[in-house]
Amino acid sequence: MLNIEDTICAPATVPGTGAIAIIRMSGKDSFRIADKVVSCKGSTIYETEGYKLRYGVALEADGTDLDTVLVSVFRSPHSYTGEDSVEISCHSSKYVVERLLQRLVDSGARPAGPGEFTQRAFVNGKMDLAQAEAVADVISSQNAAAHRVAYSQLKGGFSKELKTLRDELLKMTSLLELELDFSEEDVEFASRRELSALLDGALRHIHSLTDSFRYGNALRNGVPVAIVGAVNAGKSTLLNALVGDDRAIVSDIAGTTRDTVEETMTIGGHLFRFIDTAGLRETSDEVEKIGISRSYKKMNEASIVLALLDVTASEEENEYSISDIVSNLDVKSQKLIVLLNKVDVLGNNINVSLINNSVSNPNDKVVKLYISAKTGFGLDELRKLLSDSQKSATLDSDQTIVTNLRHYQALMEASESLENVKRSLAAGQTPDLLSEDLRQALHHLGTILGEVTPDEVLGNIFERFCVGK
């Protein structure tokens, strides 16, 4: 349970990784504790105005100098946490940082838990829960697109949409409940036509948000790209060539890859998660069967499928391989790129008609590309294809993108409650039943913003934060 009466402290930077380290402290006794540890000329830290820097000397308990420091002063409520806060900038020695932290603890502070500074910002009304979760997303963002979405949520774009939606639903709920007070007079305060229009608009909005989750999840964790094909088609060689490392074992022995191997890299500002899979073939080996089963599973989960064909293989083998892959895809939602590999072996003697005949395109969106995973031929074009695929998949810049699974689940539950209202409305149900389902929708939307969130949910959210944030 969060105790906001304590004064907390923690390092905000990793000691020894730069010239300067920062230690944060927040709570009602921050200035008093800072004055016990840091000696400044003239006025004390307690007397210093907010948004001011003070130069001083951090002292050991016996009064000897520990380090020269700068102290940034933030007065409540104009601070990150909404409390009196200080940030002490010292030299980035692990010893200095540990001693300073110990001195602060000895003087009355306690070590902060993971995410406790941001949790206090939420409790003190400096941000709502969706914004607080976005703090962690901004810190962990690994590419431009993920950072852009997380920063937009941190600034409150997503929260503003939800608050507007909740306000509209709450107004209608209040009118329905008002009708209950005048049930004997048979009056209608909430227009059923307006309610129906409001429900349709709210559901369209929520469906737009939930539909964005697939893209948002890819931004956060990497666009899943499954590399699939027959044994010895060159899948592991391709993975190693794309990520620039010997990540997967390469061998001429069929069935070397028994399980999926994953690696991420950024291409064109987008994070991709490449998945090398076990070769697809008929086998009696039980372990290999498990690997092949996982290959199909990863193929089904991927946004992009790289189907590797070996141009040195027979036409029959390639026809079987591509038909097997296509039959396991949802070509409406998954992008298929057919890679005709090992062109370095055939040189100028490539049988184009054989290759074209072996690929049965399920639709016009399928791309075919000649490559050599071994020499790197065609890989730059492949990278461009992958990057362009995400540019075309990117949603409108003004559209909110859902990246958080908790938010997605809450939106789905809110959508279900609103669908119940629609059904009840069509059936001519009484205001109390309509109001109850509307209240459920408001509850689910409120959990995203933190307006109705149990302590255990807060604990699960903030324990994933780094200490010091």
Side-chain angles (χ1 to χ4, degrees), residues 160-176 194-195 197-203 205 418 438 442 445:
K160 184 177 180 181
E161 285 189 38
L162 291 182
K163 287 174 182 175
T164 300
L165 183 58
R166 287 190 84 243
D167 286 346
E168 292 174 348
L169 294 174
L170 184 60
K171 178 181 177 181
M172 190 59 69
T173 304
S174 300
L175 291 174
L176 284 169
E194 289 182 11
L195 176 57
L198 175 61
L199 289 172
D200 289 339
L203 283 168
H205 196 161
L418 292 179
L438 277 173
L442 287 168
L445 294 176

Side-chain angles (χ1 to χ4, degrees), residues 110-297:
R110 69 164 172 82
E116 191 167 353
F117 287 91
T118 303
Q119 189 171 0
R120 288 189 177 207
F122 163 67
V123 171
N124 291 325
K126 299 295 290 185
M127 59 180 70
D128 60 44
L129 193 56
Q131 290 175 288
E133 289 173 284
V135 172
D137 291 341
V138 169
I139 294 171
S140 63
S141 59
Q142 301 180 50
N143 56 78
H147 174 267
R148 184 172 60 252
V149 171
Y151 188 70
S152 173
Q153 293 186 358
L154 176 60
K155 297 297 287 183
F158 181 39
S159 301
K160 184 177 180 181
E161 285 189 38
L162 291 182
K163 287 174 182 175
T164 300
L165 183 58
R166 287 190 84 243
D167 286 346
E168 292 174 348
L169 294 174
L170 184 60
K171 178 181 177 181
M172 190 59 69
T173 304
S174 300
L175 291 174
L176 284 169
E177 292 180 353
L178 185 60
E179 290 182 9
L180 298 177
D181 295 333
F182 295 88
S183 57
E184 295 181 358
E185 300 180 26
D186 193 25
V187 293
E188 184 179 281
F189 292 103
S191 166
R192 299 308 188 259
R193 181 180 298 177
E194 289 182 11
L195 176 57
S196 180
L198 175 61
L199 289 172
D200 289 339
L203 283 168
R204 280 195 301 270
H205 196 161
I206 291 175
H207 290 160
S208 174
L209 292 173
T210 55
D211 288 345
S212 74
F213 179 69
R214 182 182 179 92
Y215 176 69
N217 191 49
L219 281 182
R220 190 175 189 178
N221 301 311
V223 180
V225 182
I227 305 173
V228 299
V231 294
N232 283 348
K235 299 182 295 298
S236 297
T237 302
L238 176 60
L239 175 67
N240 291 340
L242 286 171
V243 302
D245 191 18
D246 292 335
R247 183 66 179 83
I249 299 173
V250 176
S251 169
D252 292 332
I253 301 173
T256 298
T257 302
R258 297 296 186 95
D259 201 355
T260 57
V261 178
E262 300 189 15
E263 191 62 54
T264 59
M265 72 172 299
T266 300
I267 301 175
H270 296 272
L271 184 67
F272 290 87
R273 178 162 47 89
F274 293 100
I275 309 157
D276 179 24
T277 63
L280 306 177
R281 67 168 179 174
E282 296 292 335
T283 180
S284 59
D285 187 304
E286 291 301 321
V287 176
E288 191 176 357
K289 281 183 178 179
I290 296 173
I292 292 171
S293 175
R294 291 179 180 176
S295 296
Y296 285 117
K297 183 175 184 294

Side-chain angles (χ1 to χ4, degrees), residues 20 23 50 54 67 104 209 219 224 252 278-279 311 367 388 411 417 431:
I20 302 297
I23 296 172
R54 295 297 305 276
D67 194 19
L104 294 174
L209 292 173
L219 281 182
D252 292 332
V311 297
V367 179
D388 289 346
L411 287 167
S417 295

Side-chain angles (χ1 to χ4, degrees), residues 12-33:
T13 55
V14 180
T17 59
I20 302 297
I22 298 175
I23 296 172
R24 310 179 77 186
M25 184 162 57
S26 180
K28 63 181 182 179
D29 293 327
S30 293
F31 303 146
R32 180 183 60 79
I33 293 172

Side-chain angles (χ1 to χ4, degrees), residues 10-12 112-118 135-136 139 462-469:
E116 191 167 353
F117 287 91
T118 303
V135 172
I139 294 171
F462 289 106
E463 71 182 8
R464 298 195 303 269
F465 278 57
C466 56
V467 173
K469 196 62 180 177

